[in-house]
Amino acid sequence: LAQVAPCLLLGPTKQSAMGRMYGKGKGISKSAQPYKRTPPSWVKTKPEEVVEQITKLAKKGLAPSQIGTTLRDSCGIPSVKSITGSTILRLLKMNGLASTLPEDLYHLIKKAVSIRKHMERNRRDKDSKFRLILTESRIHRLARYYKRDKALPANWKYVSSTASALVA
């Protein structure tokens, strides 16, 4: 049996990492959150105080990811979810402060608008034309996901001519 199928005896082998869709990286390196779901013992902040800080930062105009970074770096809060039991975006939605456009889609649209603005000044830049096509295809794919997930209305459509009004 060992001569016929040696791979069956060795068990599963490590599979190669899947490549990125629009980049050359194939890495699997990433940071890992601690498995323990309770807040660390050194965090003395109450959940009500955290919610208050989140709403204050959201009223200043910060995005959910920026709020999380600010809380981590300035206030010493490692994970909002472990303290409050809810994510930052869910807390913003409960307080009526969440954006109508998801954050990742917003940033892709902002990027497409800046590439298009660059294209107006530099008509012969073929590489940026290609990058614009890639960015807009990502926007369409993400919009399709958010429509299916009901985060965007079913009739929402990305139109490049009106995109600058979305990110202004």
Side-chain angles (χ1 to χ4, degrees), residues 18 36 38 48 55 66 68 70 77 80 85 89 97 100 106 119 125 132 136 142-143 147 149 156:
M18 190 171 188
K36 199 171 150 185
T38 56
E48 300 81 34
T55 53
Q66 292 172 316
T70 305
I77 297 168
V80 170
L89 188 61
L97 295 168
T100 54
Y106 171 82
M119 290 283 294
D125 191 352
L132 179 66
E136 288 185 340
L142 201 55
K147 285 179 195 175
D149 206 43
W156 190 89

Side-chain angles (χ1 to χ4, degrees), residues 69 109 120 138:
T69 305
I109 292 171
E120 287 173 10
R138 259 186 254 159

